[in-house]
Amino acid sequence: MRTRAVVRQAVADDAEAVAAVRRVVAPYKVMSPAATRHMLTVQSPGERFLPLVAECDGEVVAWASAGLNVWTSKQGQAHLSIYVHPDHRKQGIGSELADRLHQHLTEVGAVRVRTFVQPEGLEFARNLGYDGTRQMHFSGVELTSLPEQPETPDGIELVAFDTVDPHAAYTADAIASLDEPGDSPLDSVDYDRWLEEIWNGPALDKSLSVAAMAGDEMASFTVVETHGDRMWSGMTGTIPGHRGRGLAKLVKSVALRRAAAAGIMSAYTSNDDENGPMLAINNWLGYRRVQTELGLLRTL
């Protein structure tokens, strides 16, 4: 007979256990315990972020979170995620977590919730009132054999993030994010919030993240997050005035080579199904699909 799970709010000391559950459920999503602790402790007050864990006999067997999207000007947009260890599914844990999070989001003024589920979670999500809108493809590559690095165009200098002004990185990130496929535009990225959550966060590996600089302007970039011998591509983008020059392919190729030289064995990334150019770049780099998650929406 199993002990009923106890749901409670997650705290910083849950970071190791939460990271472990995430890795079992979605091994293609790279997040270190340090980055998990940062996620649990550093958020904008406006996000009204609620992290939850479910415990059985003192062991964390599920993790869930929800909050308002503070990176968009569209009011009332929210995000929700639930990870239940495979050994503890179909016991009502996911439903209890969802109920708690939906109640919280309603109380803080959310009107529409975005979640992503693996194919086996689709029926569960639809029973909660979610419906499908898009697909997110996750891919991985072993860094043992990479294609030849493209030539660097004239007027472009390739540098690591630990040598650049964070204002230049923020500007490029904010501009490139405007074209990210999604249901809500990423058009309200506050610099101080970005600095605290992204630039100063432990996930960002500034020594391996690569920027293509055109003078003082960051023309293109790729963000690398690491944990042990694995890496995650947090974002790759090129600002409009420099597109069509192959810079995204270049910076990502350079980053993967530098990561391999630093002892990274595997790299993972994700791309919306509508992001054809980035999907093509990743295919060229040797990425192969490991999972497709379904993006779903629910109106509260």
Side-chain angles (χ1 to χ4, degrees), residues 176-253:
S177 294
L178 292 173
D179 294 325
E180 275 285 288
D183 302 293
S184 301
L186 299 176
D187 59 354
S188 186
V189 183
D190 176 79
Y191 175 71
D192 290 334
R193 184 185 303 137
W194 176 91
L195 196 68
E196 184 176 30
E197 294 185 24
I198 306 298
W199 188 258
N200 292 330
L204 176 61
D205 191 323
K206 296 188 182 74
S207 67
L208 296 180
S209 299
V210 175
M213 302 296 295
D216 293 332
E217 181 182 48
M218 188 176 289
S220 185
F221 65 92
T222 189
V223 172
V224 172
E225 302 173 8
T226 55
H227 177 215
D229 63 355
R230 304 191 308 154
M231 64 166 275
W232 172 261
S233 295
M235 170 70 171
T236 301
T238 303
I239 65 173
H242 291 276
R243 290 175 184 168
R245 305 176 66 191
L247 295 180
K249 177 186 283 190
L250 174 63
V251 294
K252 196 152 189 181
S253 177

Side-chain angles (χ1 to χ4, degrees), residues 217-300:
E217 181 182 48
M218 188 176 289
S220 185
F221 65 92
T222 189
V223 172
V224 172
E225 302 173 8
T226 55
H227 177 215
D229 63 355
R230 304 191 308 154
M231 64 166 275
W232 172 261
S233 295
M235 170 70 171
T236 301
T238 303
I239 65 173
H242 291 276
R243 290 175 184 168
R245 305 176 66 191
L247 295 180
K249 177 186 283 190
L250 174 63
V251 294
K252 196 152 189 181
S253 177
V254 171
L256 291 180
R257 290 174 180 278
R258 292 182 181 180
I264 302 297
M265 303 296 293
S266 305
Y268 295 89
T269 191
S270 65
N271 297 104
D272 188 280
D273 190 56
E274 295 181 3
N275 195 348
M278 203 64 234
L279 286 167
I281 289 172
N282 289 332
N283 288 338
W284 176 80
L285 287 165
Y287 281 87
R288 295 295 176 261
R289 194 166 299 172
V290 296
Q291 181 63 282
T292 292
E293 292 191 1
L294 307 167
L296 309 174
L297 289 172
R298 170 180 161 168
T299 300
L300 295 177

Side-chain angles (χ1 to χ4, degrees), residues 17-18 22 25 87 100 128 138 167 181 201 215 242 252 257 263 297:
V18 168
R22 282 177 54 97
V25 175
D87 294 342
R100 289 274 296 270
L128 291 172
F138 292 83
H167 284 91
H242 291 276
K252 196 152 189 181
R257 290 174 180 278
L297 289 172

